[in-house]
mmCIF file of all heavy atoms in Angstrom:
data_model
loop_
_atom_site.group_PDB
_atom_site.id
_atom_site.type_symbol
_atom_site.label_atom_id
_atom_site.label_comp_id
_atom_site.label_asym_id
_atom_site.label_seq_id
_atom_site.Cartn_x
_atom_site.Cartn_y
_atom_site.Cartn_z
ATOM 1 N N GLY A 473 18.161 8.365 -17.015
ATOM 2 C CA GLY A 473 17.961 9.722 -17.504
ATOM 3 C C GLY A 473 17.548 10.690 -16.416
ATOM 4 O O GLY A 473 17.804 11.886 -16.513
ATOM 5 N N LEU A 474 16.892 10.197 -15.387
ATOM 6 C CA LEU A 474 16.412 11.061 -14.309
ATOM 7 C C LEU A 474 17.389 11.097 -13.133
ATOM 8 O O LEU A 474 17.108 11.723 -12.122
ATOM 9 C CB LEU A 474 15.055 10.551 -13.806
ATOM 10 C CG LEU A 474 13.920 10.484 -14.836
ATOM 11 C CD1 LEU A 474 12.677 9.864 -14.220
ATOM 12 C CD2 LEU A 474 13.603 11.868 -15.377
ATOM 13 N N LEU A 475 18.520 10.434 -13.291
ATOM 14 C CA LEU A 475 19.457 10.240 -12.173
ATOM 15 C C LEU A 475 18.727 9.645 -10.975
ATOM 16 O O LEU A 475 18.873 10.098 -9.841
ATOM 17 C CB LEU A 475 20.161 11.552 -11.807
ATOM 18 C CG LEU A 475 20.987 12.194 -12.929
ATOM 19 C CD1 LEU A 475 21.777 13.381 -12.394
ATOM 20 C CD2 LEU A 475 21.928 11.187 -13.585
ATOM 21 N N ARG A 476 17.926 8.658 -11.249
ATOM 22 C CA ARG A 476 17.211 7.940 -10.190
ATOM 23 C C ARG A 476 17.538 6.453 -10.314
ATOM 24 O O ARG A 476 16.679 5.623 -10.592
ATOM 25 C CB ARG A 476 15.697 8.177 -10.298
ATOM 26 C CG ARG A 476 15.290 9.579 -9.907
ATOM 27 C CD ARG A 476 13.827 9.849 -10.172
ATOM 28 N NE ARG A 476 12.938 9.173 -9.232
ATOM 29 C CZ ARG A 476 12.678 9.608 -7.997
ATOM 30 N NH1 ARG A 476 13.275 10.689 -7.529
ATOM 31 N NH2 ARG A 476 11.839 8.959 -7.227
ATOM 32 N N ILE A 477 18.789 6.133 -10.097
ATOM 33 C CA ILE A 477 19.222 4.741 -10.136
ATOM 34 C C ILE A 477 18.959 4.121 -8.766
ATOM 35 O O ILE A 477 19.440 4.630 -7.757
ATOM 36 C CB ILE A 477 20.729 4.638 -10.446
ATOM 37 C CG1 ILE A 477 21.062 5.361 -11.761
ATOM 38 C CG2 ILE A 477 21.164 3.172 -10.477
ATOM 39 C CD1 ILE A 477 20.524 4.693 -12.991
ATOM 40 N N PRO A 478 18.203 3.047 -8.724
ATOM 41 C CA PRO A 478 17.950 2.421 -7.425
ATOM 42 C C PRO A 478 19.150 1.568 -7.015
ATOM 43 O O PRO A 478 19.404 0.526 -7.616
ATOM 44 C CB PRO A 478 16.719 1.559 -7.691
ATOM 45 C CG PRO A 478 16.807 1.215 -9.147
ATOM 46 C CD PRO A 478 17.545 2.344 -9.830
ATOM 47 N N GLU A 479 19.865 1.990 -6.001
ATOM 48 C CA GLU A 479 20.996 1.201 -5.509
ATOM 49 C C GLU A 479 20.470 0.031 -4.677
ATOM 50 O O GLU A 479 19.432 0.168 -4.037
ATOM 51 C CB GLU A 479 21.916 2.081 -4.660
ATOM 52 C CG GLU A 479 22.486 3.281 -5.403
ATOM 53 C CD GLU A 479 23.523 2.909 -6.457
ATOM 54 O OE1 GLU A 479 24.003 1.751 -6.409
ATOM 55 O OE2 GLU A 479 23.811 3.742 -7.314
ATOM 56 N N PRO A 480 21.126 -1.085 -4.622
ATOM 57 C CA PRO A 480 22.279 -1.433 -5.448
ATOM 58 C C PRO A 480 21.846 -1.637 -6.892
ATOM 59 O O PRO A 480 20.663 -1.841 -7.152
ATOM 60 C CB PRO A 480 22.749 -2.748 -4.824
ATOM 61 C CG PRO A 480 21.514 -3.364 -4.268
ATOM 62 C CD PRO A 480 20.665 -2.225 -3.799
ATOM 63 N N ARG A 481 22.777 -1.626 -7.811
ATOM 64 C CA ARG A 481 22.374 -1.675 -9.229
ATOM 65 C C ARG A 481 21.851 -3.040 -9.624
ATOM 66 O O ARG A 481 21.198 -3.183 -10.639
ATOM 67 C CB ARG A 481 23.541 -1.264 -10.099
ATOM 68 C CG ARG A 481 23.910 0.168 -9.736
ATOM 69 C CD ARG A 481 24.755 0.857 -10.740
ATOM 70 N NE ARG A 481 24.873 2.261 -10.344
ATOM 71 C CZ ARG A 481 25.046 3.248 -11.176
ATOM 72 N NH1 ARG A 481 25.117 3.024 -12.474
ATOM 73 N NH2 ARG A 481 25.149 4.492 -10.727
ATOM 74 N N LYS A 482 22.145 -4.039 -8.840
ATOM 75 C CA LYS A 482 21.609 -5.377 -9.087
ATOM 76 C C LYS A 482 20.242 -5.526 -8.426
ATOM 77 O O LYS A 482 19.802 -4.634 -7.697
ATOM 78 C CB LYS A 482 22.570 -6.426 -8.529
ATOM 79 C CG LYS A 482 22.740 -6.293 -7.001
ATOM 80 C CD LYS A 482 23.808 -7.220 -6.473
ATOM 81 C CE LYS A 482 23.278 -8.625 -6.232
ATOM 82 N NZ LYS A 482 22.372 -8.718 -5.069
ATOM 83 N N GLU A 483 19.588 -6.633 -8.704
ATOM 84 C CA GLU A 483 18.335 -6.930 -8.021
ATOM 85 C C GLU A 483 18.592 -7.111 -6.531
ATOM 86 O O GLU A 483 19.589 -7.716 -6.129
ATOM 87 C CB GLU A 483 17.744 -8.207 -8.623
ATOM 88 C CG GLU A 483 16.427 -8.628 -7.983
ATOM 89 C CD GLU A 483 15.840 -9.839 -8.692
ATOM 90 O OE1 GLU A 483 15.880 -9.864 -9.935
ATOM 91 O OE2 GLU A 483 15.371 -10.757 -8.001
ATOM 92 N N ALA A 484 17.692 -6.596 -5.700
ATOM 93 C CA ALA A 484 17.840 -6.766 -4.255
ATOM 94 C C ALA A 484 17.527 -8.206 -3.871
ATOM 95 O O ALA A 484 16.428 -8.708 -4.153
ATOM 96 C CB ALA A 484 16.925 -5.799 -3.512
ATOM 97 N N VAL A 485 18.488 -8.856 -3.242
ATOM 98 C CA VAL A 485 18.332 -10.255 -2.841
ATOM 99 C C VAL A 485 18.753 -10.453 -1.389
ATOM 100 O O VAL A 485 18.073 -11.125 -0.618
ATOM 101 C CB VAL A 485 19.166 -11.187 -3.756
ATOM 102 C CG1 VAL A 485 19.079 -12.628 -3.275
ATOM 103 C CG2 VAL A 485 18.706 -11.083 -5.208
ATOM 104 N N THR A 486 19.880 -9.844 -0.997
ATOM 105 C CA THR A 486 20.413 -10.044 0.351
ATOM 106 C C THR A 486 19.928 -8.943 1.299
ATOM 107 O O THR A 486 19.383 -7.920 0.868
ATOM 108 C CB THR A 486 21.946 -10.005 0.328
ATOM 109 O OG1 THR A 486 22.357 -8.663 0.009
ATOM 110 C CG2 THR A 486 22.517 -10.960 -0.706
#
Side-chain angles (χ1 to χ4, degrees):
L474 301 176
L475 300 187
R476 289 173 73 80
I477 304 291
E479 301 289 345
R481 299 197 172 209
K482 62 187 277 288
E483 180 176 318
V485 176
T486 68

